[in-house]
Amino acid sequence: MRRSLKLMAASSLFALVAGAASAQTELRMMWYNDGIEGEVMQSILDRFEEAHPEISVTLDVVPYQAVLESLPIQLAAGNGPDIARVTDLGGLSEHYLDLRPYIQDPAYWETNFGPFLDWLDPDGDAINGFMTQLTVTGPYVNRTLFEQAGVDLPGEGATWEDWAAAVNEVASALDIPIPMAWDRSGHRVAGPAIAQGAMMFDADGNPALVDEGLQRMAQLLYDWHQDGTMSLELWGSVSGSSYLGANEDFANANVVMYMSGSWQIPQFASTIGDAFDWWAVPAPCGPAACTGMPGGAALVAIGDTEHPEEVGILMDYLAQEEVLAEFYGRTLFIPGHLGLASGGIEFDTDDPRAAHALSTFAGAVPSISPVAFALQGYPSNRVMFNALISRLNEAIVGELTLDEAYARMEEDIANQLAESDR
């Protein structure tokens, strides 16, 4: 009899445990990494789960390409995650959840994330998420190679042509295979194009990608790929609008100058360390400006989630000032939180290269062209970026002339915008 009672008690306990486990809400967060931010986020999520045992969060770390290409398909099919880290901020806005009914203090979000909320919801006043990082595009150089070659770094106000001449001199002196590399990305090309005078929109605010300024930048990139300043093998190794970074080539000291952006800082601090002086430099100038592109990644709530209340609880937790201060400080990201930006962040680094890069990119924000801000906030900017990079690359590899590429860019944009309006 006693044994029977013990079995019944054990069975009841098992049922209670199983019931509690089944009552736990499971959330999935799609995430990609540039550096160590996934590790940092996981440690924060572990603490969240301790404080909220009724909610579990699975951090699904995927390649960045999956966020660009697979996530939109999943969202369109209603099969997306509950939360996702995205860079196509306005382009995916139709799939976001408005968090206003599910967060405790919308005014806190408006005060601290206000300018960036418009990037996520250009046509409304929803609160969809927050910036995990504010980014600024710009170049890095291998300063060690400049010193070894006895070549001075071009100074303030130097143009892209000045830098091209300098990196070629360094590469020639030291037999470095790639004088200059850029991320294969329309976003990366857009800032220098705006510096050359590209306006991106007409007087009525409609997309107008191809003008004299864009053509000047496109001609430079075309010429650099033909004369060896840039590597045909890098951009030519993929097609269409596919993204390709040159961070590994730069980290391996095969590149003198690398056009990318502030998000590379934590990765370079980890992968390069003090192997050589990786040095961020201000955006080179054109006749119109000395500017890169603003941008960044945002953590957004997805509208198809079956657990909006729990998503709101998690997002409120992650958006706390002390939590974000830890996240930005450990990841070496420029804060996308106005309170922390004005108060300063204690960055977790004693690396002078990382500290200098953070200062350089943060200092570049005031000089960013208004055209660049407008382009970043345009909901269909991905259409413009994709048309720019895919058709320019076809010209670079000899499949089109530049004039043919310009015509195809305009056709691509018109067709894709027309399709999106259907």
Side-chain angles (χ1 to χ4, degrees):
M1 184 66 175
R2 289 180 179 175
R3 184 182 180 195
S4 176
L5 287 173
K6 287 181 179 179
L7 287 173
M8 290 176 63
S11 176
S12 299
L13 179 61
F14 178 81
L16 286 171
V17 172
S22 64
Q24 188 180 54
T25 299
E26 297 181 2
L27 301 179
R28 304 197 73 87
M29 180 187 295
M30 178 181 280
W31 189 268
Y32 74 91
N33 284 327
D34 286 317
I36 64 166
E37 64 267 33
E39 301 171 23
V40 176
M41 177 55 71
Q42 184 61 66
S43 69
I44 293 173
L45 292 176
D46 290 343
R47 294 204 307 272
F48 170 81
E49 290 179 337
E50 291 176 3
H52 297 273
E54 75 281 7
I55 303 173
S56 68
V57 187
T58 298
L59 189 68
D60 293 319
V61 180
V62 301
Y64 179 57
Q65 201 68 23
V67 176
L68 290 181
E69 298 178 358
S70 301
L71 179 60
I73 297 172
Q74 294 177 28
L75 295 178
N79 297 323
D82 300 285
I83 302 169
R85 185 182 186 213
V86 301
T87 56
D88 188 4
L89 306 178
L92 298 174
S93 59
E94 65 180 295
H95 301 292
Y96 299 159
L97 172 72
D98 186 357
L99 288 165
R100 283 186 181 275
Y102 308 109
I103 54 179
Q104 293 185 359
D105 186 5
Y108 165 83
W109 288 68
E110 292 168 346
T111 298
N112 290 289
F113 305 116
F116 314 116
L117 296 178
D118 291 341
W119 285 357
L120 298 176
D121 185 28
D123 300 320
D125 62 352
I127 295 175
N128 303 121
F130 62 87
M131 302 298 289
T132 59
Q133 74 210 96
L134 182 64
T135 62
V136 182
T137 63
Y140 297 86
V141 297
N142 186 325
R143 194 172 69 161
T144 301
L145 295 180
F146 272 86
E147 292 171 351
Q148 291 174 347
V151 177
D152 292 333
L153 292 175
E156 184 178 354
T159 65
W160 277 106
E161 293 90 335
D162 294 333
W163 276 102
V167 298
N168 271 301
E169 186 177 353
V170 172
S172 177
L174 301 177
D175 198 26
I176 304 301
I178 305 173
M180 183 188 296
W182 290 33
D183 289 336
R184 189 183 187 275
S185 161
H187 183 268
R188 240 56 91 234
V189 175
I194 292 169
Q196 295 295 330
M199 296 303 297
M200 298 296 170
F201 303 97
D202 62 22
D204 296 321
N206 300 310
L209 178 65
V210 179
D211 59 13
E212 291 183 2
L214 182 123
Q215 290 175 349
R216 277 194 291 270
M217 192 67 246
Q219 185 69 57
L220 285 173
L221 287 166
Y222 177 87
D223 292 342
W224 290 339
H225 278 91
Q226 309 313 312
D227 67 18
T229 300
M230 296 179 70
S231 169
L232 276 171
E233 286 72 21
L234 286 180
W235 277 24
S237 65
V238 292
S239 60
S241 59
S242 295
Y243 170 83
L244 182 68
N247 48 297
E248 291 185 6
D249 291 285
F250 182 74
N252 290 326
N254 291 322
V255 174
V256 181
M257 183 180 200
Y258 174 35
M259 173 59 179
S260 190
S262 58
W263 57 92
Q264 300 287 5
I265 295 172
Q267 179 182 165
F268 288 163
S270 175
T271 60
I272 302 175
D274 60 0
F276 61 81
D277 274 344
W278 48 278
W279 209 245
V281 297
C285 298
C290 310
T291 186
M293 277 290 294
L299 194 65
V300 297
I302 302 303
D304 284 335
T305 179
E306 296 179 357
H307 311 289
E309 292 85 1
E310 289 82 359
V311 167
I313 292 170
L314 174 58
M315 294 294 278
D316 253 344
Y317 180 91
L318 296 176
Q320 294 177 83
E321 188 164 312
E322 60 270 26
V323 174
L324 279 180
E326 175 189 350
F327 179 80
Y328 294 138
R330 291 173 61 189
T331 57
L332 309 185
F333 285 161
I334 297 172
H337 180 290
L338 297 184
L340 292 171
S342 62
I345 291 288
E346 185 176 342
F347 290 108
D348 185 16
T349 182
D350 55 4
D351 186 331
R353 294 159 292 273
H356 176 268
L358 286 163
S359 175
T360 298
F361 285 113
V365 173
S367 64
I368 292 175
S369 165
V371 178
F373 274 110
L375 179 58
Q376 182 61 25
Y378 177 56
S380 296
N381 59 21
R382 185 70 57 183
V383 172
M384 299 174 69
F385 293 147
N386 288 350
L388 170 57
I389 200 64
S390 60
R391 297 307 185 181
L392 175 59
N393 204 72
E394 288 177 347
I396 285 171
V397 299
E399 296 174 2
L400 299 174
T401 67
L402 275 173
D403 286 339
E404 290 170 339
Y406 300 144
R408 296 285 183 86
M409 289 176 195
E410 293 180 327
E411 291 172 6
D412 289 348
I413 293 170
N415 291 338
Q416 291 182 48
L417 291 179
E419 289 177 5
S420 66
D421 287 339
R422 291 173 186 170

